[in-house]
């Protein structure tokens, strides 16, 4: 056989090998992006592209002069409106307007207000969607916090306003069932880190692993700490983000399989992460189910660590402290 007759065969073989390698690398990239463990976790949870600048690079941030904390100080808006299931720690639904009366049962709202008072930033709270109606109104806040909101909690005006606020350099903090919100809005899914709540297993204690302590929200946390939560399973799983903390699934005595069949995420089950997204900053955690998360008497293991975690997330998202591992 001459060299000329061997050439097409060699080329065909090379093409086949290259295609196989490309397929392998693509699958590996997708699994890595989704944060899953191939051997034990849920597989192929998506590698979505939301058409915006996102990731861990500050190049995705828009510093367009919409905030002047040197003269105005720092202020956040806490939004807890539910259009579906309501977590008990939110207490009864709030009246309309800004800063309506709170009861003792409004544990989350009271706790975040006290957190601001203790740490030098102002907190407004609302469940009135009209308070989010314009970007100009949101630009009064260095960060907007969604804490256990649920389902379609925003109308069209508020959706547009939130998007423009983030694009103008705003900060976003999503806690617990913020992941069960606006399911059918892809931009919001991207704001969450390309992640969404799918299901959860039993409420149970487990060990949180602080994967990255080079961040404002995690720098004072121990390497491992006990906490009780529902341990959300996610579809998609976060991608293009800086994972700050995970749960060690082997410590979940009642298992991680969710009530809709999700088998868990294996050795990399994320519970807190951060990213730049479409011009703004976004800090996220799936933790925060129980009212006892805000106890201060050490009666609930991990409560102090959780409070440090979200305080750092809030302060970094609003630009008061370095964000997402920045020096």
């Amino acid at each position: 056989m001459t060299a000329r007759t061997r050439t097409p065969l060699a080329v065909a073989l090379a093409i086949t090998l290259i295609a196989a390698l490309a397929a392998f690398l693509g699958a590996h990239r997708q699994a890595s992006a989704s944060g899953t463990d191939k051997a034990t976790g849920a597989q192929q949870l998506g590698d979505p592209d939301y058409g915006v600048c996102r990731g861990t690079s500050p190049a995705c941030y828009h510093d367009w002069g919409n905030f002047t904390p040197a003269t105005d100080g720092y202020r956040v808006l806490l939004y807890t409106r539910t259009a579906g299931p309501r977590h008990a720690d939110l207490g009864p639904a709030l009246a309309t307007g800004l800063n309506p009366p709170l009861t003792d049962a409004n544990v989350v709202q009271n706790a975040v207000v006290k957190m601001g008072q203790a740490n030098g930033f102002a907190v407004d709270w609302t469940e009135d969607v009209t308070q989010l109606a314009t970007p100009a109104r949101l630009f009064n806040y260095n960060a907007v916090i969604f804490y256990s909101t649920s389902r379609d909690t925003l109308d069209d005006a508020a959706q547009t306003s939130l998007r423009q606020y983030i694009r103008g350099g705003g900060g976003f903090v999503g806690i617990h069932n913020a992941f069960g919100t606006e399911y059918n809005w892809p931009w919001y899914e991207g704001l969450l880190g390309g992640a969404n709540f799918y299901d959860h297993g039993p409420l149970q204690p487990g060990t949180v692993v602080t994967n990255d302590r080079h961040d404002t929200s995690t720098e004072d946390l121990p390497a491992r700490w006990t906490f009780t939560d529902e341990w959300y399973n996610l579809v998609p799983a976060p991608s293009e983000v800086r994972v700050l903390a995970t749960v060690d699934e082997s410590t979940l005595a009642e298992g991680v399989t969710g009530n809709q069949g999700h088998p868990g995420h294996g050795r990399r089950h994320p519970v807190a992460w951060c990213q730049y997204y479409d011009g703004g900053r976004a800090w996220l955690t799936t933790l925060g189910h129980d009212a006892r998360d805000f106890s201060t008497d050490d009666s609930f293991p991990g409560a102090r660590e959780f409070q440090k975690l979200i305080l750092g997330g809030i302060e970094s998202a609003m630009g008061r402290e370095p964000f997402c591992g920045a020096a």
Side-chain angles (χ1 to χ4, degrees):
M1 184 178 291
T2 65
R4 178 171 295 177
T5 61
R6 288 195 303 269
T7 300
L9 179 60
V11 170
L13 179 60
I15 291 173
T16 300
L17 290 173
I18 291 171
L21 179 60
F24 170 79
L25 292 175
H28 177 72
R29 176 179 178 273
Q30 188 174 39
S32 298
S34 68
T36 62
D37 173 72
K38 185 173 177 58
T40 59
Q43 302 301 304
Q44 307 301 326
L45 297 184
D47 185 15
D49 182 4
Y50 299 95
V52 304
C53 185
R54 70 185 186 107
T56 58
S57 171
C60 290
Y61 182 71
H62 296 164
D63 187 4
W64 290 347
N66 286 311
F67 307 95
T68 54
T71 56
D72 297 335
Y74 289 93
R75 181 177 293 272
V76 300
L77 178 65
L78 173 63
Y79 188 59
T80 53
R81 180 173 182 262
T82 53
R86 187 174 179 88
H87 277 68
D89 59 355
L90 296 181
L94 303 183
T96 58
L98 192 66
N99 300 339
L102 300 175
T103 71
D104 290 343
N106 298 117
V107 174
V108 166
Q109 298 89 334
N110 286 314
V112 176
V113 170
K114 290 178 181 177
M115 184 177 288
Q117 292 170 344
N119 292 279
F121 60 89
V123 179
D124 288 336
W125 62 93
T126 192
E127 292 184 0
D128 184 349
V129 69
T130 66
Q131 299 298 316
L132 285 70
T134 67
R137 183 170 291 171
L138 290 185
F139 280 130
N140 291 319
Y141 300 100
N142 305 91
V144 174
I145 306 168
F146 279 29
Y147 199 123
S148 286
T149 47
S150 67
R151 304 289 172 82
D152 294 331
T153 190
L154 301 174
D155 60 16
D156 183 69
Q159 285 186 341
T160 302
S161 177
L162 179 63
R163 182 157 49 187
Q164 297 300 81
Y165 167 75
I166 294 296
R167 286 178 170 173
F172 179 81
V173 176
I175 301 176
H176 201 51
N177 208 49
F179 289 87
T181 299
E182 298 293 331
Y183 277 109
N184 299 310
W185 185 18
W187 182 88
Y188 180 81
E189 180 177 278
L191 180 64
L192 297 176
N196 246 321
F197 169 76
Y198 180 76
D199 67 8
H200 62 73
L203 180 70
Q204 60 184 311
T207 299
V208 176
V209 179
T210 307
N211 297 84
D212 188 337
R213 298 175 75 180
H214 300 289
D215 185 73
T216 300
S217 63
T218 53
E219 61 186 359
D220 294 327
L221 297 180
R224 296 172 67 89
W225 43 287
T226 299
F227 194 62
T228 296
D229 213 283
E230 297 173 312
W231 312 111
Y232 279 8
N233 294 317
L234 306 164
V235 177
S239 59
E240 308 299 331
V241 301
R242 185 179 190 126
V243 175
L244 302 172
T246 58
V247 58
D248 181 349
E249 290 188 355
S250 70
T251 65
L252 303 179
E254 297 179 59
V256 72
T257 300
N259 52 10
Q260 296 183 45
H262 193 301
H265 294 269
R267 289 194 294 270
R268 192 164 176 81
H269 187 148
V271 298
W273 57 92
C274 56
Q275 64 163 352
Y276 294 94
Y277 184 78
D278 201 13
R281 308 181 186 98
W283 187 94
L284 299 314
T285 182
T286 61
L287 304 179
H289 171 78
D290 201 301
R292 294 172 295 176
D293 295 345
F294 292 102
S295 61
T296 57
D297 59 1
D298 295 322
S299 61
F300 193 66
R304 291 186 183 274
E305 287 79 5
F306 171 76
Q307 292 166 47
K308 288 180 181 179
L309 179 74
I310 64 168
L311 173 61
I314 293 168
E315 292 194 317
S316 63
M318 67 183 180
R320 187 180 185 184
E321 296 291 342
F323 179 72
C324 212

